[in-house]
Amino acid sequence: EVQLVESGGGLVQPGGSLRLSCSASRFTFSSYAMHWVRQAPGKGLEYVSAISSDGGSTYYADSVKGRFTISRDNSKNTLYLQMSSLRAGDTAVYYCVKDQKYVDTAMVTRYYFDYWGQGTLVTVSS
Amino acid sequence: EIVMTQSPATLSVSPGERATLSCRASQSVNSNLAWYQQKPGQAPRLLIYGASTRATGIPARFSGSGSGTEFTLTISSLQSEDFAVYYCQQYNNWPPYTFGQGTKLEIK
């Protein structure tokens, strides 16, 4: 079965930086777009960032734009999230997510999230 | 951005009974809706995509219905392992993908 293993979380001071990694296995990593979704303690799910399969296209939520950078190394089957200028509001569990495409009844290609990593906790506090 | 609204926030149901969870989109998402289950300390798990298609390995007691703006997740006979938080998510108009705020299904 697909495996996604995040690492790199921890305690960081406000204004600091952190790089998260997600090691992927048991699927052809270079064929899939990948995503980061976060969940603040006791809260719901927030979509953070995405990267296309070849790394050529990226997306960022407004809440992290200009501070976070998503990237991938297909030779290492690894997804990254470089986080800088961290704020208390960035405190959350960060999940690495794989998507899966299918063609809907209107013959349009769609993408849903089929596998999630176990998450890594980022705590921003002084 | 499409806003997803789930109701109720908390649902109390007895084991063996039926649970019905609702999700509403602020504009049509066609059938491009997924449901996820999340247990404490765990990552979300895909249950349903395409509004009504069960993901691999998901028991038949889970069913999804709806299209456009109104969706329902039904669990026909609740088992102890089904008590969790459930999220809906639209993937019709993205970015961004958007999630509902969740429904907590608790034991009555």
Side-chain angles (χ1 to χ4, degrees), chain A residues 5-118:
Chain A
V5 180
E6 301 95 335
S7 60
L11 175 64
V12 61
Q13 292 189 339
S17 298
L18 212 55
R19 188 177 83 156
L20 307 183
S21 299
C22 171
S23 177
S25 59
R26 301 180 186 174
F27 68 102
T28 305
F29 180 71
S30 59
S31 295
Y32 294 87
M34 295 294 294
H35 310 261
W36 288 98
V37 175
R38 69 184 181 183
Q39 185 172 37
K43 302 298 184 183
L45 301 168
E46 179 187 11
Y47 186 60
V48 174
S49 185
I51 188 167
S52 59
S53 58
D54 65 359
S57 298
T58 57
Y59 165 82
Y60 300 95
D62 288 343
S63 57
V64 307
K65 198 174 295 182
R67 301 187 299 120
F68 288 13
T69 302
I70 190 172
S71 62
R72 64 192 296 162
D73 185 337
N74 285 346
S75 69
K76 295 182 178 179
N77 290 346
T78 303
L79 174 72
Y80 303 100
L81 187 67
Q82 178 69 47
M83 304 184 295
S84 60
S85 302
L86 284 161
R87 308 164 180 166
D90 296 317
T91 294
V93 174
Y94 285 73
Y95 294 104
C96 164
V97 186
K98 171 190 170 293
D99 73 17
Q100 177 63 48
K101 72 177 180 182
Y102 73 106
V103 179
D104 70 10
T105 54
M107 303 304 290
V108 175
T109 299
R110 302 291 183 181
Y111 300 85
Y112 60 92
F113 295 164
D114 60 349
Y115 287 98
W116 300 58
Q118 87 289 349

